């Protein structure tokens, strides 16, 4: 039975008399307080270091991690598993080290929880090693400085906010705007053409999403080079807080030992921050702004800085970031922005207009979008697209109040180009075929750039906007749609007369 008795940080309760007899063979202790996920343990022989993994419960099934040392004999721990059945006086065993994660070729095509247990109903993997989930980032002397673009096959990302090989990209958006769908599509597109290993880390994920992803990747035939690690949202905050570190340990093995490139996909980094906030609150730490933990910046940096390029390989990370109430000034979003080389912002307004993927091209950005990295042609074209879309955004208020008739002939052309660009940058996804009945499209960077160039040259001004909606390359717009030059010409001429 769990005891909810409140205990002060430094309690003066007498220690159990039978500790000595229990601590003869191993470094064992005794539970003296249980408050939900917070467990206080007393040791009389040797105090375990911080981050040590302890085992307790009837069959040693309850795992707890040392969070702080209260005095010379007492430690305060956070539970990584539910504490039902735990009571005062139970024996606690020190495992002798921190939480560990399995690494090796045997983990490929498998699904694990934060403790390294296989959750895909298959036998436990063989040919594996166990390594601590707490590692330090590679030193600056070992980091690679080569800059290279990482193509995704998604037009709007490759053209306007190219990703960096070995960089960190964030998918920012509120609830229901398509972060997980976009992340899943990137997995589908990149695992097929990506020679390395893909690791999917679900932090606070729904079990439904994990099962669907496993089934889809297996059906697509790309599971052989994938590893999935999940910390479900119903698990204690301690487990959700450590699942990202477990996935990074696996990624570091493939980078450093196997010398392979790794694609690390995290859904959702906000749940990592949220789990840390829960742990901090349980431990009685004073909250910072908006209730976040005072150590949020440090905890996020310890995770993000391990994602790095070295001479032996690269870890490319794409992270979904939930934005509470669509507020991009929220501390969780602000702290995450600083670690990223590319920020992909999803817009609820564009999603409501049916422009999928619902990426806002004016709010999204990439540090790779410079002439020295992507080339002058690509850079100039991206700037021209942004300028056209920004001008259209400024004209929307005039159009809403006075109508298209009050625009100048040049503004009329800008609106036509911008609306066609918006529709051309939409794309049917492979992962949504069952819902939309449209075949997914994988578009090369060259095809995407060519299509945008031709739209900006007004080659498609006589085609209806819907001809460019949800297509792959620009040539698909000509297949089933006839130009409507006469109708468009009448509209323009009437505008000119006005």
């Amino acid at each position: 039975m769990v005891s909810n008795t409140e205990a002060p940080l430094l309690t003066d309760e007498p220690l159990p008399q039978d500790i000595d007899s229990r601590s003869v063979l191993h470094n064992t202790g005794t539970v003296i307080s249980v408050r939900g996920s917070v467990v206080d343990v007393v040791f009389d022989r040797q105090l375990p270091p911080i981050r040590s993994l302890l085992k307790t419960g009837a069959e040693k099934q309850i795992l707890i991690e040392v969070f702080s040392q209260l005095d010379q004999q007492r430690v305060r721990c956070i539970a990584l598993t539910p504490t039902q059945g735990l009571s005062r006086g139970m024996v606690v065993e020190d495992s002798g080290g921190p939480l560990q994660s399995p690494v090796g070729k045997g983990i490929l095509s498998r699904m694990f929880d934060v403790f390294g247990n296989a959750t895909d109903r298959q036998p436990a993997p063989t040919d594996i090693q166990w390594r601590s989930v707490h590692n330090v980032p590679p030193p600056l002397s070992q980091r690679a400085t080569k800059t290279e673009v990482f193509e995704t096959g998604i037009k709007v990302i490759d053209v306007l906010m190219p990703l960096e090989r070995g960089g960190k990209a964030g998918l920012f958006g509120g609830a229901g705007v398509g972060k997980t769908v976009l992340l899943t599509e990137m997995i589908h597109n990149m695992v097929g053409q990506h020679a390395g290993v893909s690791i999917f880390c679900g932090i606070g994920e729904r079990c439904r999403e994990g099962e669907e992803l496993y089934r889809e990747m297996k059906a697509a035939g790309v599971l052989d080079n994938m590893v999935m690690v999940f910390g479900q949202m119903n698990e204690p905050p301690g487990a959700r807080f450590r699942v990202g570190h477990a996935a990074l340990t696996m990624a570091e093995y493939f980078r450093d030992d196997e010398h392979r490139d790794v694609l690390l996909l995290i859904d959702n980094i906000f749940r990592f921050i949220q789990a840390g906030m829960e742990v901090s609150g349980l431990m009685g730490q004073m909250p910072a702004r908006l209730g976040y933990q005072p150590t949020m910046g440090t905890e996020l940096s310890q995770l993000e800085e391990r994602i790095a390029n070295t001479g032996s390989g690269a870890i490319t990370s794409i992270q979904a970031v939930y934005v509470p109430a669509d507020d991009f000034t929220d501390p969780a979003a602000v702290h995450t922005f600083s670690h990223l080389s590319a920020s992909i912002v999803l817009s609820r307004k564009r999603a409501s207009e049916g422009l999928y993927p619902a990426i806002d091209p004016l709010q999204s950005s990439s540090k790779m979008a410079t002439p020295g990295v992507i080339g002058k042609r690509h850079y100039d074209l991206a700037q021209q697209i942004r300028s056209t879309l920004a001008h259209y955004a400024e004209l929307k208020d005039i159009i809403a109040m006075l109508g298209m008739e009050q625009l100048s002939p040049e503004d009329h052309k800008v609106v036509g180009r911008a609306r066609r660009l918006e529709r051309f940058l939409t794309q049917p996804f492979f992962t949504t075929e069952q819902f939309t009945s449209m075949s997914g499209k994988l578009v090369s960077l060259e095809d995407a750039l060519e299509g945008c160039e031709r739209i900006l040259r007004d080659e498609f001004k006589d085609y209806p906007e819907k001809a460019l909606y949800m297509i792959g390359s620009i040539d698909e717009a000509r297949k089933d749609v006839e130009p409507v030059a006469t109708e468009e010409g009448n509209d323009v001429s009437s505008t000119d007369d006005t």
Side-chain angles (χ1 to χ4, degrees):
M1 180 177 177
V2 179
S3 171
N4 291 320
T5 306
E6 292 292 336
L9 284 176
L10 295 174
T11 178
D12 293 324
E13 295 178 15
L15 303 182
Q17 297 299 317
D18 55 344
I19 289 182
D20 291 336
S21 60
R22 292 173 177 173
S23 306
V24 175
L25 299 178
H26 306 285
N27 185 30
T28 59
T30 304
V31 175
I32 58 171
S33 174
V34 182
R35 298 185 303 282
S37 293
V38 180
V39 183
D40 287 355
V41 184
V42 61
F43 288 85
D44 73 325
R45 293 181 60 202
Q46 180 182 352
L47 209 60
I50 290 176
R51 292 181 175 175
S52 293
L53 187 67
L54 311 180
K55 301 178 181 180
T56 184
E59 298 179 358
K60 299 297 181 285
Q61 295 295 316
I62 298 176
L63 303 179
I64 56 180
E65 184 179 83
V66 177
F67 189 86
S68 63
Q69 297 178 345
L70 302 180
D71 57 24
Q72 293 181 345
Q73 290 186 301
R74 295 176 175 85
V75 292
R76 177 154 290 172
C77 310
I78 188 75
L80 305 183
T81 55
T83 54
Q84 284 85 352
L86 188 61
S87 63
R88 298 172 67 179
M90 282 190 170
V91 177
V92 178
E93 287 186 4
D94 181 3
S95 67
L99 178 66
Q100 294 187 323
S101 179
V103 297
K105 295 182 179 179
I107 68 173
L108 289 173
S109 78
R110 304 300 301 272
M111 182 188 291
F112 299 95
D113 62 12
V114 67
F115 307 108
N117 301 318
T119 59
D120 50 8
R121 298 180 182 177
Q122 296 184 37
T126 57
D127 189 25
I128 60 171
Q129 307 169 33
W130 290 86
R131 294 185 182 176
S132 167
V133 303
H134 304 288
N135 296 320
V136 295
L140 291 176
S141 59
Q142 294 181 8
R143 301 202 179 202
T145 57
K146 183 180 178 182
T147 302
E148 188 179 338
V149 173
F150 193 83
E151 289 190 28
T152 65
I154 300 174
K155 289 180 285 190
V156 64
I157 294 177
D158 290 341
V159 172
L160 294 177
M161 55 222 71
L163 305 187
E164 178 185 6
R165 176 185 172 272
K168 296 185 276 281
L171 305 179
F172 291 83
V177 293
K179 296 185 299 298
T180 301
V181 170
L182 188 57
L183 199 65
T184 309
E185 182 70 8
M186 287 186 179
I187 297 172
H188 185 282
N189 289 358
M190 286 187 269
V191 167
Q193 61 186 15
H194 189 66
V197 177
S198 294
I199 296 178
F200 183 90
C201 174
I203 305 177
E205 276 289 85
R206 304 169 183 86
C207 59
R208 167 184 58 81
E209 292 176 341
E211 188 275 333
E212 287 177 357
L213 179 66
Y214 181 83
R215 182 161 30 86
E216 288 171 5
M217 295 301 103
K218 190 172 184 178
V222 296
L223 198 60
D224 289 344
N225 284 316
M226 277 194 75
V227 185
M228 298 185 188
V229 190
F230 284 95
Q232 293 177 206
M233 59 171 48
N234 65 315
E235 294 185 30
R240 286 182 274 123
F241 190 56
R242 290 300 180 211
V243 68
H245 298 92
L248 266 170
T249 298
M250 297 177 182
E252 288 165 343
Y253 165 80
F254 288 109
R255 180 194 66 191
D256 300 333
D257 292 38
E258 298 281 338
H259 305 298
R260 301 173 70 177
D261 285 353
V262 181
L263 177 63
L264 176 64
L265 303 120
I266 302 176
D267 188 10
N268 182 307
I269 203 68
F270 174 79
R271 306 296 179 198
F272 168 77
I273 296 173
Q274 191 178 47
M277 181 169 56
E278 291 183 47
V279 170
S280 176
L282 288 168
M283 290 297 168
Q285 294 180 346
M286 183 69 70
R289 184 181 164 212
L290 298 184
Y292 287 103
Q293 64 271 37
T295 54
M296 176 174 65
T298 301
E299 292 167 356
L300 187 61
S301 298
Q302 288 173 344
L303 184 77
E304 295 282 3
E305 286 302 301
R306 291 172 62 183
I307 304 171
N309 289 4
T310 65
S312 58
I315 300 178
T316 303
S317 175
I318 302 174
Q319 310 169 10
V321 186
Y322 168 70
V323 181
D326 293 339
D327 178 15
F328 286 90
T329 64
D330 188 271
V334 171
H335 278 77
T336 307
F337 266 121
S338 62
H339 292 280
L340 305 174
S341 57
S343 301
I344 302 170
V345 179
L346 288 96
S347 163
R348 194 173 302 279
K349 185 174 184 298
R350 292 178 70 84
S352 66
E353 294 172 355
L355 300 174
Y356 294 104
I359 296 172
D360 189 330
L362 300 180
Q363 287 194 57
S364 305
S365 63
S366 171
K367 296 176 183 176
M368 300 289 288
T370 60
V373 176
I374 60 177
K376 190 174 187 307
R377 177 206 173 201
H378 186 172
Y379 174 78
D380 291 342
L381 184 59
Q383 292 298 101
Q384 194 175 353
I385 293 170
R386 288 182 183 275
S387 176
T388 303
L389 294 176
H391 193 177
Y392 174 48
E394 294 172 358
L395 294 173
K396 281 183 177 180
D397 288 340
I398 299 175
I399 297 171
M401 290 186 292
L402 304 176
M404 290 281 290
E405 294 77 14
Q406 300 303 316
L407 298 181
S408 67
E410 185 57 37
D411 285 346
H412 204 285
K413 291 180 181 178
V414 168
V415 171
R417 292 176 197 139
R419 290 180 62 85
R420 284 167 175 78
L421 278 172
E422 283 184 337
R423 280 144 185 80
F424 175 65
L425 292 176
T426 61
Q427 190 168 338
F429 282 176
F430 292 97
T431 53
T432 58
E433 286 180 358
Q434 56 181 322
F435 307 111
T436 63
S437 300
M438 289 188 286
S439 299
K441 305 286 184 181
L442 183 70
V443 184
S444 68
L445 175 60
E446 184 57 37
D447 286 345
L449 293 175
E450 181 190 356
C452 293
E453 273 183 332
R454 293 170 67 180
I455 291 173
L456 290 170
R457 290 199 302 260
D458 288 334
E459 285 189 29
F460 290 85
K461 66 178 182 179
D462 297 333
Y463 283 74
E465 295 170 0
K466 67 179 181 180
L468 300 169
Y469 180 68
M470 286 293 177
I471 61 172
S473 63
I474 194 69
D475 292 329
E476 294 180 27
R478 299 182 181 273
K479 287 183 179 178
D480 303 316
V481 181
E482 292 295 328
V484 286
T486 306
E487 183 181 333
E488 291 274 332
N490 290 339
D491 289 344
V492 173
S493 61
S494 62
T495 305
D496 293 345
D497 293 339
T498 305

